[in-house]
């Protein structure tokens, strides 16, 4: 285990096959680890330090599988 810092207070985490996901208090999603299936939305095959997955915001929770990620986002109700 390695202590990981630099992204704020984690609200939820998930682990897939050789990669990890972290949802922080401001609802941004961070990812790190192996990216062989582009599940971390990056061109890199490995992400050594957590980086924000900028395609998603307002993430409430996250789940991970072998090579896929599921993120539940919050959508503002505009009536």
């Amino acid at each position: 285990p390695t202590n990981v810092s630099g992204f704020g207070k984690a609200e939820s985490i998930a682990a897939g096959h050789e990669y990890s996901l972290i949802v922080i208090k401001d609802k941004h999603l961070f990812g790190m680890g192996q990216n062989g299936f582009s599940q971390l939305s990056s061109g890199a095959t490995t992400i050594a330090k957590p980086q924000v997955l900028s395609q998603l915001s307002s993430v409430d929770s996250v789940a991970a599988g072998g090579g896929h990620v599921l993120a539940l986002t919050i959508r503002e109700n505009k009536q």
Side-chain angles (χ1 to χ4, degrees):
T2 301
N3 205 6
V4 180
S5 62
F7 53 82
K9 191 171 193 170
E11 285 203 341
S12 84
I13 58 171
H17 181 69
E18 298 183 344
Y19 69 96
S20 301
L21 301 161
I22 306 116
V23 178
I24 62 170
K25 190 172 181 157
D26 72 0
K27 302 300 183 188
H28 282 92
L29 178 62
F30 282 75
M32 65 181 289
Q34 296 298 315
N35 190 37
F37 298 104
S38 296
Q39 68 273 24
L40 300 176
S41 301
S42 168
T45 55
T46 302
I47 300 172
K49 295 182 180 180
Q51 64 180 235
V52 71
L53 304 181
S54 61
Q55 295 82 356
L56 296 173
S57 61
S58 302
V59 177
D60 188 55
S61 61
V62 66
H68 64 278
V69 173
L70 301 170
L72 178 64
T73 59
I74 302 167
R75 186 173 72 175
E76 188 176 322
N77 188 5
K78 297 180 180 181
Q79 293 185 13

